[in-house]
Amino acid sequence: MSLTVAQARDEMLTLITAAWTANAGGLPLFYDDRPGEPPTNGTGWARVNIQHNLGAQSTISNPIGNNLFRRDGLLTVQIFAPIGKGLSQADALAKVALDAFEGKSTPNGVWFRKVRMREIGPDKSWFNVNVYAEFNYDEAK
């Protein structure tokens, strides 16, 4: 399949949004273009970020004269749980993000690999855990 940057970004955000909406108990999920303020009621929240790395031409030409260009990047879900309440909420929210990407691809061909979590630690009144998913997809031109 062939995806533009905008199409790939939409598919990745659709995947995490669906998983978060279904499994995070109504906690907010913020995006780069829709930032928000962390909740003040002592509940968790998360922020998703997509960053593309260098890409490269991956084929010379297909039968109809198109070249494929490989796009690679890193999707990060930053999870914040209230500090002092144990790590159970942070772990549960990290599982939501892990399950959204591990062994998955989007309908039009964004593939995820090396999905992992990392405990970052305290950040003001929050405990931060990040979930990372490396991704790639192709665009035909």
Side-chain angles (χ1 to χ4, degrees), residues 22-51:
N23 301 300
L27 298 178
L29 177 66
F30 300 116
Y31 308 88
D32 285 336
D33 66 333
R34 287 187 296 176
E37 292 297 319
T40 56
N41 60 355
T43 62
W45 59 283
R47 176 174 44 224
V48 62
N49 174 267
I50 296 171
Q51 294 181 322

Side-chain angles (χ1 to χ4, degrees), residues 76-97:
T76 305
V77 180
Q78 296 174 289
I79 296 163
F80 298 90
I83 242 173
K85 294 186 177 182
L87 298 179
S88 58
Q89 186 182 49
D91 290 341
L93 295 174
K95 180 164 177 35
V96 171

Side-chain angles (χ1 to χ4, degrees), residues 44-105:
W45 59 283
R47 176 174 44 224
V48 62
N49 174 267
I50 296 171
Q51 294 181 322
H52 282 80
N53 297 326
L54 296 175
Q57 186 171 339
S58 58
T59 65
I60 295 174
S61 181
N62 67 13
I64 59 172
N66 289 333
N67 294 312
L68 288 181
F69 293 85
R70 173 66 41 102
R71 309 278 186 234
D72 297 299
L74 182 67
L75 183 147
T76 305
V77 180
Q78 296 174 289
I79 296 163
F80 298 90
I83 242 173
K85 294 186 177 182
L87 298 179
S88 58
Q89 186 182 49
D91 290 341
L93 295 174
K95 180 164 177 35
V96 171
L98 288 165
D99 289 348
F101 300 109
E102 282 183 321
K104 305 281 176 61
S105 64

Side-chain angles (χ1 to χ4, degrees), residues 98-135:
L98 288 165
D99 289 348
F101 300 109
E102 282 183 321
K104 305 281 176 61
S105 64
T106 68
N108 290 306
V110 179
W111 294 91
F112 300 99
R113 64 188 192 291
K114 296 183 181 176
V115 179
R116 61 208 181 266
M117 69 176 267
R118 181 170 181 224
E119 294 86 352
I120 304 301
D123 181 357
K124 298 180 183 169
S125 59
W126 308 100
F127 188 85
N128 175 212
V129 174
N130 288 349
V131 172
Y132 303 101
E134 294 181 22
F135 64 84

